[in-house]
Amino acid sequence: MRFRHPDGTLVHLSYCTNVHPAETLDGVLAQLRDHCEPVRRRLDRDRLGIGLWLAKDATHVLTADPAALRALRAELDRRGLEVVTLNGFPYEGFGAEAVKHRVYRPDWTEPERLAHTTDLARLLAALLPDDVAEGSVSTLPLAWRTGFDERAATTTRTALTTLTQRLDALEELTGKSIRIALEPEPGCVVETLADAVGPLTALPGDRVGVCVDTCHLATSFEDPATALAALDTAGIRVPKAQLSAALHADRPHRPEVRAALGAFAEPRFLHQTRTLTAAGLRGTDDLPEAVAGDTLPTTAPWRAHFHIPLHAPPAPPLTSTLPVLQNALAHLVGGARPRTRHLEVETYTWQALPPGARPRTRGRLADGIAAELTLARDLLTDLGLKELP
């Protein structure tokens, strides 16, 4: 979906396909048919943006076979879909029964991450619509925090510097400008937008910026205005923002609140949990640790890294951090000029929701994704952006 900002800038809204597990190119093509096109039809749009997730195996095929890449581009066009951004965070296995910490490997200390991200940038340059010259690829925020030392920091800085050089060469060759966006996430080396300032200001140029994920932002209790102003001051770009909402519990000392949170403690994804105290941010690396013991103080609200459908907050006594998303979106695209041109709804946890809230059919899932995009569209038009055909 395309929007025109009041300053004339084109802003893209998409949804991320990592909600549909697929490791192979055949699986990606099936996604387009079985999920993405039905969502577009529900929205009654001739064109729908998707934030494509390409796992390692699919990426290798597309990189090695130009005919396969042309076929993917043709299939996108045939089904009324367009791609301006890729989700390069998960490398493989995102549809596995237990993902947890596996999603952070390989990290930016490992050569596979540089090679994979380079391939994604090259593929995106070929997949961009003819009338779009700028693409974005989100990626993990360097690494999971444990074991990350100065040597690892040097290795990641070297890898990202090499990547910027490759992206410069890619633009010279194709005329397409691809930018990489580190996605701060609780528990990682770069947990917050504030944490991104140091590593990114050490890099040459502006090819690498941040992906503002509003679930992660809320989970870490960052104030959107303050965090984005700090990025502006440091000259750090926001190539992409992910529109997502975290799980919020106001009174975690109450047994009924703990029980409600426990229903979201599932074995597939990591759900880092945080609370803000007078002494600073406190947290656990997963929701079961928080609800099972006395690790976290219970005198202030808890937030968990669980992507809640934007239009469907959980039943009381829980809620979502949709207000944080709205606040962040106002600062991202509601000003005189947009801070980013690429917005992506990224609720990949539909099948990890408590059983009664999970969509039981493809049609129900498509209904839910379409409802999320409708909400996001309404937020954008309320900020003065105009939806384009």
Side-chain angles (χ1 to χ4, degrees):
M1 301 167 76
R2 295 184 176 198
F3 297 80
R4 185 71 65 189
H5 188 274
D7 78 340
T9 301
L10 184 64
V11 175
H12 295 266
L13 172 66
S14 62
Y15 90 90
C16 186
T17 65
N18 62 356
V19 64
H20 312 305
E23 300 288 318
T24 66
L25 178 57
D26 285 344
V28 171
L29 295 173
Q31 285 178 353
L32 306 185
R33 179 193 67 225
D34 297 338
H35 299 288
C36 302
E37 186 176 10
V39 170
R40 178 182 65 77
R41 293 187 181 280
R42 280 164 171 76
L43 292 166
D44 194 27
R45 306 299 300 164
D46 293 333
R47 173 173 51 194
L48 176 67
I50 58 172
L52 201 58
W53 173 56
L54 297 173
K56 175 195 70 172
D57 290 345
T59 299
H60 284 175
V61 171
L62 291 167
T63 302
D65 185 355
L69 180 56
R70 289 193 297 270
L72 173 59
R73 172 68 185 267
E75 188 70 358
L76 289 165
D77 292 342
R78 187 168 78 87
R79 299 197 180 277
L81 306 169
E82 67 177 12
V83 176
V84 302
T85 188
L86 299 180
N87 188 327
F89 196 134
Y91 181 70
E92 61 182 340
F94 201 61
E97 291 185 3
V99 179
K100 298 292 184 179
H101 290 86
R102 290 174 51 191
V103 75
Y104 307 110
R105 303 294 301 275
D107 61 33
W108 277 99
T109 68
E110 300 170 271
E112 294 86 354
R113 178 60 65 173
L114 173 60
H116 180 63
T117 309
T118 300
D119 286 343
L120 291 178
R122 290 169 177 162
L123 294 176
L124 181 56
L127 292 174
L128 285 176
D130 292 340
D131 63 343
V132 174
E134 188 173 293
S136 60
V137 180
S138 49
T139 187
L140 79 162
L142 303 185
W144 185 251
R145 70 184 186 283
T146 54
F148 193 86
D149 54 18
E150 187 54 42
R151 182 176 180 179
T154 299
T155 302
T156 60
R157 187 163 54 247
T158 300
L160 289 170
T161 299
T162 299
L163 179 65
T164 63
Q165 295 166 349
R166 293 177 179 178
L167 296 176
D168 286 343
L170 180 64
E171 183 170 8
E172 287 187 18
L173 180 66
T174 66
K176 304 291 187 178
S177 177
I178 308 299
R179 285 186 163 79
I180 306 302
L182 301 186
E183 183 184 330
E185 178 166 310
C188 293
V189 174
V190 177
E191 171 158 339
T192 65
L193 296 184
D195 293 338
V197 172
L200 291 181
T201 52
L203 296 176
D206 63 354
R207 287 287 183 188
V208 183
V210 297
C211 172
V212 177
D213 184 301
T214 57
C215 170
H216 304 172
L217 182 86
T219 301
S220 295
F221 289 86
E222 280 198 281
D223 174 64
T226 303
L228 291 169
L231 295 181
D232 288 346
T233 299
I236 295 171
R237 298 185 60 156
V238 182
K240 174 178 182 176
Q242 288 175 327
L243 307 185
S244 53
L247 185 63
H248 179 95
D250 250 340
R251 298 176 176 86
H253 64 284
R254 293 188 174 182
E256 67 271 23
V257 176
R258 291 289 189 101
L261 284 169
F264 287 84
E266 53 84 37
R268 186 172 176 186
F269 298 113
L270 206 61
H271 302 297
Q272 302 92 320
T273 305
R274 300 288 186 266
T275 185
L276 187 60
T277 71
L281 203 62
R282 293 278 302 278
T284 63
D285 283 343
D286 210 350
L287 183 56
E289 302 170 43
V291 298
D294 57 0
T295 305
L296 291 185
T298 59
T299 54
W302 289 3
R303 290 176 179 172
H305 172 216
F306 194 119
H307 289 224
I308 300 297
L310 303 187
H311 68 294
L318 304 179
T319 187
S320 81
T321 60
L322 182 63
V324 177
L325 184 160
Q326 293 173 285
N327 185 4
L329 191 62
H331 287 93
L332 285 165
V333 299
R337 291 175 297 174
R339 283 184 164 99
T340 186
R341 297 181 180 91
H342 296 166
L343 303 170
E344 177 184 78
V345 171
E346 197 218 10
T347 305
Y348 59 83
T349 46
W350 282 95
Q351 298 305 332
L353 291 167
R358 296 174 191 171
R360 296 299 182 184
T361 65
R362 289 177 183 170
R364 295 276 181 88
L365 178 58
D367 290 342
I369 294 170
E372 288 194 291
L373 286 166
T374 297
L375 184 150
R377 178 191 64 196
D378 291 346
L379 292 178
L380 290 173
T381 56
D382 286 348
L383 289 170
L385 281 75
K386 179 181 179 182
E387 186 178 7
L388 301 178

